[in-house]
Amino acid sequence: MSKLDAALQKAITSVPDCVATGFVDLASGMLLGVKTVDSHPQEVIEMLAAATADLFQGPSVVAIERLFRSARGVPEDGHHYFQEMIVNSDNLIHVFLRGKRQQQVATFVCRKGANLGMVLTKARMAMPEVEAAL
């Protein structure tokens, strides 16, 4: 098992009601690793990286960040304003956390009944180990 696989496995067991976790490289658009407790269709897993990249680097998001920088008089330095996103679907909570290097995003998918505060806390706590595994 690779270091990343081990870190993702540890995260899936520490984040409350977590059913899947993944690590996406935004620069290459690749899904670097994924762990799930259930089987998921391969096409869904393959779309994870593309959907995550759209959330964090889609044209509208890039335009909003550019406007924020312009309005604040901040020069372009590679830093992104959007660091975390939470998406609630019918049955699941999807948490997306951008890494410190700004080019990777970890995803944590939890059952809807999970305590969102604990999900965020535990996901944030898992990030350093997941990032260090690269």
Side-chain angles (χ1 to χ4, degrees):
M1 182 182 288
S2 76
K3 283 180 160 182
L4 181 58
D5 287 338
L8 291 173
Q9 184 61 46
K10 185 175 177 183
I12 208 169
T13 59
S14 66
V15 176
D17 290 323
C18 193
V19 297
T21 184
F23 201 53
V24 176
D25 182 72
L26 297 175
S28 67
M30 291 181 56
L31 179 62
L32 301 175
V34 64
K35 287 291 177 190
T36 66
V37 297
D38 300 323
S39 62
H40 298 282
Q42 190 61 34
E43 56 270 15
V44 171
I45 291 172
E46 290 171 1
M47 291 293 294
L48 178 64
T52 302
D54 285 346
L55 278 173
F56 282 87
Q57 295 185 160
S60 296
V61 172
V62 171
I64 289 169
E65 288 185 327
R66 192 175 301 122
L67 286 171
F68 283 167
R69 274 191 287 283
S70 176
R72 293 181 174 110
V74 176
E76 177 62 53
D77 62 358
H79 180 76
H80 296 277
Y81 286 99
F82 296 106
Q83 299 295 314
E84 300 179 354
M85 294 190 194
I86 301 165
V87 177
N88 291 303
S89 63
D90 287 342
N91 301 308
L92 299 168
I93 300 168
H94 309 260
V95 174
F96 300 86
L97 305 177
R98 186 187 293 271
K100 298 254 184 248
R101 290 175 244 163
Q102 301 288 295
Q103 288 302 311
Q104 290 85 26
V105 172
T107 65
F108 301 89
V109 181
C110 302
R111 290 184 183 91
K112 188 74 168 194
N115 178 301
L116 181 56
M118 286 304 295
V119 168
L120 284 170
T121 298
K122 294 291 189 171
R124 289 171 182 158
M125 290 172 66
M127 278 300 287
E129 188 171 344
V130 171
E131 286 186 282
L134 279 186

